[in-house]
Amino acid sequence: MSSREQLIKYTSIVPSTVQKSIQRENFNAFIHYGINTFAGKEWSDGTLSPDLFNPTEQDAEQWVKVLKYVGVKGIIFTAKHHDGFCMWQTDTTEYSVKNSPYKGGKGDVVKELSDACKKHGMKFGIYLSPWDRNSKYYSTDKYDDFYCAQLTELLTRYGDIFCVWLDGACGAESDGKKKQVYDFQRYYALIRKLSPKTVISNCGPDVRWVGNEGGFAREGEFNVIPRLAVSEEAIMEDSQKSEKQNMKLLVEKDILAKELGDRSQLDQYDSFVWSPAEVDVSIRPGWFYHKSQDHRVRSVRNLMNIYYGAVGGNSLLLLNVPPDKTGRINDVDVARLIKFGDRIRADFSSPVSIDKITAPEHESSNKIRNVTVYSYNKNSFDANSYYTPKNEAENYEINILFDKQYNVDKIKLVENVAFSQRIEAFSIFAKVNGVFKKVYDGKTIGYGRIALLKRAILTDEIKIVIDKCRLKPYIEYIGVYQKEKQSIFKKLFK
Ligand code: FUL
């Protein structure tokens, strides 16, 4: 049993500004595109000829427009995958688009995409694989200089970079090479110096890999976790070391998906960090495009499940959409993505109208009515207004009365993470024929829980009970949504 001192310590851990920004805009896209696309490979060994890279209709604006329609806020692009082939006009190596036939060697895919992102109000980020199978410096003490020179080019030539995604995967030993010891602290310091607002993900201090690539989020996702759980060594140890393992992680629910950060675990440590989890998953079986997988693009239902699990489960979602050999996102994926975007919007298009909301007496001006403030158009909550009770209690009951009966199927809940993550268990009851019936049992809330009811329920009153909490709760938002009445697909195809 955690002591009060321990709970005070856990609740003193809060997100940094950079972490808050990505938790608010928690749905982003990955684009895996490079020499592998043209060779039909997932991992290539750094010896493929740059001649292979020759898209005929490359259109970065198409990528951005499609992804914007889906609702993603930022795009993270594979500027360099493990093969070492650079997608920009780099001065650090000859293995790049500058020696490919694309635009007579004058093409710069990083620039094309960053320009398209700027034009369409999309954030732009880069994936720069630390593992480099082409570089002559790899496995030598010159490699960190080489990698930092690449980072510097990318962070100084293309405007704002919202995220640098550092992959922990490395198969150098199976290549017969000495494992490179990366100077991660130097990479982080360089990124912070050149671009202080950039989020450093995966093998980095700001965002943590959820532990699988199959789209599975944890049911109870805590942001306050033991510091030891996010050491670079631990992440690299758990990352892929062979192509076989890479493919395995794409489909399996890895053991790493076990919960981190509940009280019983925290009680064993004395140093903690704020660490949001990210679910990175591909719309196809592979990260790169393969024609043979055109019939295996994820269904809208599957994408929605992933969306609700991740965005609705206090995690970030990073959905990979790989352009094909022409340099465009394939029509199959485009059609799926359009329906996916429509489905997300439709699911949140009908909030119920709340007549009365009551809760235990509030502290100062932090009254319960504050939690209903939400600007749908801006897709944001008012983070400065929240509810917190005056006194700590065993549990907290919030009653919500609607103006009439609605067919409710989801409730969105947000904690104000400026006060850490506190709620550990909650339940939702709906009044049916004058009697409250339990309709949902939940664990964590954090920055976003979408409580999806097993079936829609016709009701004019619900009750949310916070059953377990670290000290007292700080709630930023509660939204109750009706089941979308008309099938979105009918609307699309009529
Ligand atoms: C992994 C890589 O090995 C995959 O190819 C992919 O880039 C994925 C996002 O990360 O570690």
Side-chain angles (χ1 to χ4, degrees):
M1 253 271 284
S2 317
S3 66
R4 194 174 168 77
E5 284 64 41
Q6 279 168 313
L7 295 181
I8 291 173
K9 191 161 185 185
Y10 306 155
T11 52
S12 72
I13 311 291
V14 294
S16 66
T17 314
V18 158
Q19 288 173 318
K20 251 191 246 161
S21 71
I22 196 155
Q23 283 193 277
R24 274 185 188 278
E25 304 209 316
N26 51 9
F27 180 24
N28 295 296
F30 232 164
I31 290 195
H32 275 67
Y33 180 60
I35 198 128
N36 288 344
T37 314
F38 295 82
K41 300 243 186 226
E42 277 295 306
W43 281 12
S44 60
D45 64 4
T47 60
L48 293 176
S49 165
D51 287 346
L52 280 175
F53 188 80
N54 195 13
T56 45
E57 298 168 51
Q58 190 168 285
D59 185 358
E61 239 187 291
Q62 183 240 11
W63 311 348
V64 178
K65 283 190 198 152
V66 171
L67 291 167
K68 190 166 179 178
Y69 188 84
V70 184
V72 310
K73 301 291 185 214
I75 295 177
I76 300 173
F77 179 60
T78 51
K80 176 185 88 170
H81 203 252
H82 310 324
D83 45 69
F85 187 76
C86 296
M87 299 293 276
W88 76 101
Q89 293 284 330
T90 179
D91 298 323
T92 60
T93 172
E94 291 306 304
Y95 200 46
S96 99
V97 279
K98 70 182 180 186
N99 287 313
S100 78
Y102 178 58
K103 292 192 173 170
K106 299 272 181 286
D108 185 326
V109 191
V110 173
K111 176 151 181 21
E112 285 171 33
L113 182 55
S114 69
D115 286 350
C117 284
K118 278 184 206 108
K119 181 166 170 195
H120 294 281
M122 176 75 80
K123 294 189 294 181
F124 176 64
I126 50 155
Y127 166 112
L128 186 70
S129 169
W131 182 32
D132 186 320
R133 300 175 90 179
N134 176 271
S135 173
K136 60 179 184 230
Y137 301 118
Y138 199 84
S139 305
T140 76
D141 52 12
K142 295 210 175 69
Y143 184 73
D144 284 326
D145 293 345
F146 170 82
Y147 189 83
C148 285
Q150 296 196 324
L151 268 178
T152 306
E153 288 184 353
L154 291 166
L155 290 168
T156 54
R157 295 182 181 173
Y158 301 97
D160 288 346
I161 303 288
F162 89 100
C163 179
V164 173
W165 210 92
L166 299 173
D167 198 331
C170 179
E173 279 163 27
S174 41
D175 277 355
K177 284 201 175 176
K178 195 171 104 235
K179 198 170 154 198
Q180 175 78 40
V181 182
Y182 308 106
D183 189 349
F184 277 112
Q185 297 307 324
R186 180 173 164 199
Y187 305 168
Y188 304 159
L190 181 67
I191 299 168
R192 294 280 196 245
K193 184 176 125 216
L194 296 175
S195 182
K197 289 191 184 145
T198 296
V199 177
I200 311 175
S201 290
N202 204 285
C203 242
D206 301 328
V207 169
R208 155 176 55 97
W209 182 40
V210 77
N212 68 80
E213 292 172 344
F216 307 100
R218 293 183 186 82
E219 207 196 318
E221 181 60 66
F222 288 98
N223 288 156
V224 177
I225 62 165
R227 184 177 293 276
L228 273 181
V230 283
S231 72
E232 293 92 26
E233 291 75 23
I235 297 162
M236 292 196 59
E237 195 41 48
D238 291 332
S239 296
Q240 302 88 315
K241 292 181 198 62
S242 69
E243 193 163 1
K244 201 167 149 210
Q245 203 190 353
N246 181 40
M247 295 317 291
K248 205 164 159 248
L249 271 174
L250 277 160
V251 290
E252 273 186 8
K253 189 167 185 167
D254 193 74
I255 42 149
L256 291 173
K258 70 177 186 290
E259 279 172 26
L260 281 175
D262 65 21
R263 281 189 204 190
S264 63
Q265 282 163 320
L266 295 189
D267 288 354
Q268 299 168 37
Y269 297 88
D270 52 19
S271 183
F272 310 98
V273 284
W274 185 269
S275 176
E278 179 174 75
V279 174
D280 62 326
V281 60
S282 185
I283 192 167
R284 289 168 166 255
W287 290 102
F288 286 90
Y289 175 85
H290 308 285
K291 183 151 190 47
S292 60
Q293 296 179 348
D294 279 358
H295 64 291
R296 295 180 64 195
V297 175
R298 289 182 189 273
S299 65
V300 176
R301 177 190 282 261
N302 185 270
L303 290 168
M304 282 311 292
N305 281 341
I306 292 174
Y307 182 86
Y308 278 121
V311 170
N314 191 32
S315 297
L316 315 173
L317 175 57
L318 184 60
L319 177 67
N320 179 62
V321 178
D324 64 19
K325 279 188 188 180
T326 66
R328 293 172 63 82
I329 298 178
N330 194 271
D331 289 350
V332 181
D333 308 59
V334 172
R336 205 59 50 86
L337 287 164
I338 287 176
K339 284 194 206 164
F340 178 40
D342 286 336
R343 182 78 256 170
I344 297 171
R345 276 182 290 275
D347 271 13
F348 294 93
S349 61
S350 323
V352 311
S353 179
I354 296 173
D355 232 14
K356 196 170 169 211
I357 176 162
T358 55
E361 190 187 348
H362 57 268
E363 182 193 87
S364 59
S365 62
N366 304 314
K367 52 186 191 292
I368 189 66
R369 192 78 217 189
N370 291 348
V371 306
T372 60
V373 181
Y374 177 73
S375 158
Y376 184 74
N377 290 333
K378 284 205 227 132
N379 191 22
S380 69
F381 320 101
D382 180 356
N384 296 321
S385 68
Y386 55 87
Y387 160 78
T388 189
K390 194 167 171 199
N391 302 311
E392 277 172 41
E394 272 297 295
N395 52 43
Y396 307 86
E397 222 177 274
I398 300 167
N399 241 75
I400 306 176
L401 193 64
F402 315 146
D403 61 346
K404 59 177 185 98
Q405 282 203 327
Y406 292 94
N407 207 22
V408 168
D409 75 339
K410 57 194 111 46
I411 292 117
K412 186 163 180 167
L413 300 143
V414 180
E415 282 184 74
N416 190 319
V417 291
F419 299 90
S420 194
Q421 182 181 353
R422 295 170 174 243
I423 296 167
E424 297 172 313
F426 69 98
S427 359
I428 302 177
F429 299 81
K431 202 177 223 176
V432 183
N433 300 328
V435 183
F436 275 115
K437 190 178 141 202
K438 195 188 250 196
V439 290
Y440 190 86
D441 248 328
K443 291 187 178 176
T444 52
I445 292 182
Y447 193 76
R449 163 70 53 192
I450 302 167
L452 201 58
L453 308 188
K454 282 207 185 79
R455 64 188 72 83
I457 198 137
L458 194 65
T459 181
D460 62 358
E461 188 173 355
I462 64 163
K463 181 167 77 174
I464 298 168
V465 182
I466 296 165
D467 301 301
K468 193 172 172 204
C469 189
R470 296 176 185 169
L471 308 174
K472 61 182 184 138
Y474 285 76
I475 303 172
E476 188 168 312
Y477 177 70
I478 300 177
V480 185
Y481 296 87
Q482 297 175 66
K483 186 176 165 62
E484 164 67 359
K485 279 169 246 140
Q486 193 192 349
S487 159
I488 187 73
F489 305 118
K490 275 192 211 135
K491 273 192 222 163
L492 260 177
F493 296 112
K494 75 173 183 219

